[in-house]
Structures are given as structure tokens and as C-alpha cells.
Coordinates of all heavy atoms in Angstrom, one line a residue:
F135 N -12.2 -18.9 -24.1 CA -11.4 -19.9 -23.4 C -10.0 -19.3 -23.1 O -9.6 -19.4 -21.9 CB -11.3 -21.2 -24.2 CG -10.3 -22.1 -23.6 CD1 -10.6 -22.9 -22.4 CD2 -9.1 -22.3 -24.1 CE1 -9.7 -23.7 -21.8 CE2 -8.2 -23.2 -23.6 CZ -8.5 -23.9 -22.4
F136 N -9.4 -18.7 -24.1 CA -8.1 -18.1 -23.9 C -8.1 -16.9 -22.9 O -7.2 -16.7 -22.2 CB -7.4 -17.7 -25.2 CG -6.9 -18.9 -26.0 CD1 -7.3 -19.2 -27.3 CD2 -6.0 -19.8 -25.4 CE1 -6.8 -20.3 -27.9 CE2 -5.4 -20.8 -26.0 CZ -5.9 -21.1 -27.3
W137 N -9.3 -16.2 -22.9 CA -9.4 -15.1 -22.0 C -9.4 -15.6 -20.5 O -8.8 -15.0 -19.6 CB -10.7 -14.3 -22.3 CG -10.7 -13.0 -21.5 CD1 -11.4 -12.8 -20.3 CD2 -10.1 -11.8 -21.8 NE1 -11.2 -11.5 -19.9 CE2 -10.4 -10.9 -20.8 CE3 -9.3 -11.4 -22.9 CZ2 -9.9 -9.6 -20.8 CZ3 -8.8 -10.1 -22.9 CH2 -9.1 -9.2 -21.8
L138 N -10.1 -16.8 -20.4 CA -10.2 -17.4 -19.0 C -8.8 -17.8 -18.6 O -8.3 -17.6 -17.5 CB -11.1 -18.6 -19.0 CG -11.2 -19.4 -17.7 CD1 -11.9 -18.5 -16.7 CD2 -12.0 -20.6 -17.9
V139 N -8.0 -18.4 -19.5 CA -6.7 -18.9 -19.2 C -5.8 -17.7 -19.0 O -4.9 -17.7 -18.0 CB -6.1 -19.8 -20.4 CG1 -4.7 -20.1 -20.2 CG2 -6.9 -21.1 -20.5
A140 N -5.9 -16.6 -19.7 CA -5.0 -15.5 -19.6 C -5.3 -14.8 -18.3 O -4.4 -14.3 -17.6 CB -5.2 -14.5 -20.7
A141 N -6.6 -14.7 -17.9 CA -6.9 -14.1 -16.6 C -6.3 -14.9 -15.4 O -5.9 -14.4 -14.5 CB -8.5 -14.0 -16.5
E142 N -6.4 -16.2 -15.5 CA -5.8 -17.1 -14.5 C -4.3 -16.9 -14.4 O -3.7 -16.8 -13.4 CB -6.2 -18.6 -14.8 CG -5.6 -19.5 -13.8 CD -6.2 -19.3 -12.4 OE1 -7.3 -18.9 -12.2 OE2 -5.4 -19.7 -11.5
A143 N -3.7 -16.9 -15.6 CA -2.2 -16.7 -15.6 C -1.8 -15.3 -15.1 O -0.8 -15.3 -14.3 CB -1.7 -16.9 -17.1
W144 N -2.6 -14.3 -15.4 CA -2.3 -13.0 -14.8 C -2.5 -13.0 -13.3 O -1.7 -12.4 -12.6 CB -3.1 -11.9 -15.5 CG -3.0 -10.6 -14.9 CD1 -4.0 -9.8 -14.5 CD2 -1.8 -9.8 -14.5 NE1 -3.6 -8.6 -14.0 CE2 -2.2 -8.6 -14.0 CE3 -0.4 -10.1 -14.7 CZ2 -1.3 -7.7 -13.5 CZ3 0.5 -9.2 -14.2 CH2 0.1 -8.0 -13.6
G145 N -3.5 -13.6 -12.9 CA -3.8 -13.7 -11.4 C -2.6 -14.4 -10.7 O -2.2 -13.9 -9.6
K146 N -2.1 -15.5 -11.2 CA -1.0 -16.2 -10.7 C 0.3 -15.3 -10.7 O 1.0 -15.3 -9.7 CB -0.8 -17.5 -11.4 CG 0.5 -18.3 -11.0 CD 0.4 -18.8 -9.6 CE 1.5 -19.7 -9.3 NZ 2.4 -19.2 -8.2
G147 N 0.5 -14.6 -11.8 CA 1.6 -13.8 -12.0 C 1.6 -12.6 -11.0 O 2.6 -12.3 -10.3
L148 N 0.4 -12.1 -10.8 CA 0.3 -11.0 -9.8 C 0.5 -11.5 -8.4 O 1.2 -10.8 -7.6 CB -1.1 -10.4 -9.9 CG -1.4 -9.2 -8.9 CD1 -0.5 -8.1 -9.2 CD2 -2.8 -8.8 -9.0
S149 N 0.0 -12.7 -8.1 CA 0.3 -13.2 -6.7 C 1.8 -13.5 -6.5 O 2.3 -13.2 -5.4 CB -0.5 -14.4 -6.4 OG -0.1 -15.5 -7.2
D150 N 2.5 -13.9 -7.5 CA 3.9 -14.0 -7.4 C 4.6 -12.7 -7.3 O 5.6 -12.6 -6.5 CB 4.5 -14.8 -8.7 CG 4.0 -16.2 -8.7 OD1 3.6 -16.8 -7.7 OD2 4.1 -16.8 -9.8
V151 N 4.2 -11.7 -8.0 CA 4.8 -10.4 -7.8 C 4.6 -9.8 -6.4 O 5.5 -9.3 -5.8 CB 4.2 -9.4 -8.8 CG1 4.6 -7.9 -8.5 CG2 4.7 -9.7 -10.2
K152 N 3.4 -10.0 -5.9 CA 3.0 -9.6 -4.5 C 3.9 -10.3 -3.5 O 4.4 -9.7 -2.5 CB 1.6 -9.8 -4.2 CG 0.7 -8.8 -5.0 CD -0.7 -9.2 -5.1 CE -1.5 -9.0 -3.8 NZ -3.0 -9.3 -4.0
A153 N 4.1 -11.6 -3.7 CA 5.0 -12.4 -2.8 C 6.4 -11.9 -2.9 O 7.1 -11.9 -1.8 CB 4.8 -13.9 -3.1
A154 N 6.9 -11.6 -4.0 CA 8.3 -11.2 -4.2 C 8.6 -9.8 -3.7 O 9.7 -9.5 -3.3 CB 8.7 -11.3 -5.7
T155 N 7.5 -9.0 -3.6 CA 7.7 -7.6 -3.2 C 7.1 -7.4 -1.8 O 7.1 -6.2 -1.3 CB 7.1 -6.6 -4.2 OG1 5.7 -6.9 -4.3 CG2 7.8 -6.7 -5.5
R156 N 6.7 -8.4 -1.1 CA 6.2 -8.3 0.3 C 7.3 -7.7 1.2 O 8.5 -8.2 1.1 CB 5.8 -9.6 0.7 CG 5.1 -9.6 2.1 CD 4.5 -11.0 2.5 NE 3.5 -11.4 1.5 CZ 3.5 -12.6 0.9 NH1 4.5 -13.4 1.1 NH2 2.6 -12.8 0.0
P157 N 7.1 -6.7 2.0 CA 8.1 -6.2 2.8 C 8.9 -7.2 3.7 O 10.1 -7.1 3.8 CB 7.4 -5.2 3.7 CG 6.2 -4.7 2.9 CD 5.8 -6.0 2.1
S158 N 8.2 -8.2 4.2 CA 8.8 -9.2 5.0 C 9.8 -10.0 4.2 O 10.9 -10.4 4.7 CB 7.8 -10.1 5.7 OG 7.0 -10.8 4.7
T159 N 9.5 -10.3 2.9 CA 10.4 -11.0 2.0 C 11.6 -10.1 1.7 O 12.8 -10.7 1.7 CB 9.7 -11.3 0.7 OG1 8.5 -12.0 1.0 CG2 10.6 -12.2 -0.2
L160 N 11.5 -8.9 1.5 CA 12.6 -8.0 1.2 C 13.5 -7.9 2.4 O 14.7 -7.9 2.3 CB 12.1 -6.6 0.7 CG 11.3 -6.6 -0.6 CD1 10.8 -5.2 -0.9 CD2 12.1 -7.2 -1.7
I161 N 12.9 -7.7 3.6 CA 13.7 -7.6 4.8 C 14.5 -8.9 5.1 O 15.6 -8.8 5.5 CB 12.8 -7.2 6.0 CG1 12.3 -5.8 5.9 CG2 13.5 -7.4 7.4 CD1 11.2 -5.4 6.9
S162 N 13.9 -10.0 4.9 CA 14.6 -11.3 5.1 C 15.8 -11.5 4.1 O 16.7 -12.2 4.3 CB 13.7 -12.5 5.0 OG 13.1 -12.6 3.7
A163 N 15.7 -10.8 2.9 CA 16.8 -10.9 1.9 C 18.0 -10.0 2.3 O 19.0 -10.1 1.7 CB 16.2 -10.5 0.6
M164 N 17.8 -9.0 3.2 CA 18.8 -8.1 3.5 C 19.7 -8.7 4.6 O 19.2 -9.0 5.7 CB 18.2 -6.8 4.0 CG 17.5 -6.0 3.0 SD 16.8 -4.5 3.7 CE 15.9 -3.9 2.3
G165 N 20.9 -8.8 4.3 CA 21.9 -9.4 5.3 C 22.0 -8.6 6.5 O 22.2 -9.1 7.7
V166 N 21.9 -7.3 6.4 CA 22.1 -6.4 7.5 C 21.0 -6.5 8.6 O 21.2 -6.3 9.7 CB 22.2 -4.9 7.0 CG1 20.9 -4.4 6.6 CG2 22.8 -4.0 8.0
C167 N 19.9 -7.0 8.1 CA 18.7 -7.2 9.1 C 18.8 -8.5 9.8 O 18.0 -8.8 10.7 CB 17.4 -7.1 8.3 SG 17.1 -5.5 7.6
Q168 N 19.8 -9.4 9.5 CA 19.9 -10.7 10.1 C 20.7 -10.7 11.4 O 20.7 -11.7 12.1 CB 20.4 -11.7 9.1 CG 19.7 -11.8 7.8 CD 18.2 -12.0 8.0 OE1 17.7 -12.7 8.8 NE2 17.4 -11.3 7.2
G169 N 21.4 -9.6 11.7 CA 22.2 -9.5 12.9 C 21.5 -9.5 14.1 O 20.3 -9.1 14.2
E170 N 22.1 -9.8 15.3 CA 21.5 -9.8 16.6 C 21.3 -8.4 17.0 O 22.2 -7.5 16.8 CB 22.3 -10.5 17.6 CG 22.3 -12.1 17.4 CD 23.0 -12.8 18.5 OE1 23.0 -12.3 19.6 OE2 23.7 -13.8 18.2

């Protein structure tokens, strides 16, 4: 049971890491990229 829960938690953590390091997310965080 705990292995199932841990695998689910790791899957969610990994998807959060992927979302935080997505190139489009990083580019939108850079102020220099927001200019016209």
C-alpha cells in the first residue's frame, strides 16, 4: 500500500518538476523576454 502511495506521490512530484522546468515557463519568468 505504501509503495503505491509513494509511487503516486513521486509521479505527482515529477510532473510538478517538469512543469516548473518547462522552457515556456522559464521564458515567461524572464522579464527581458516580455518586451515588445
Side-chain angles (χ1 to χ4, degrees):
F135 173 74
F136 282 124
W137 189 264
L138 178 69
V139 171
E142 178 65 30
W144 171 232
K146 174 66 171 121
L148 179 62
S149 67
D150 291 344
V151 167
K152 288 164 71 173
T155 59
R156 186 175 298 129
S158 60
T159 304
L160 297 176
I161 289 172
S162 67
M164 295 180 185
V166 73
C167 293
Q168 305 307 319
E170 289 186 33

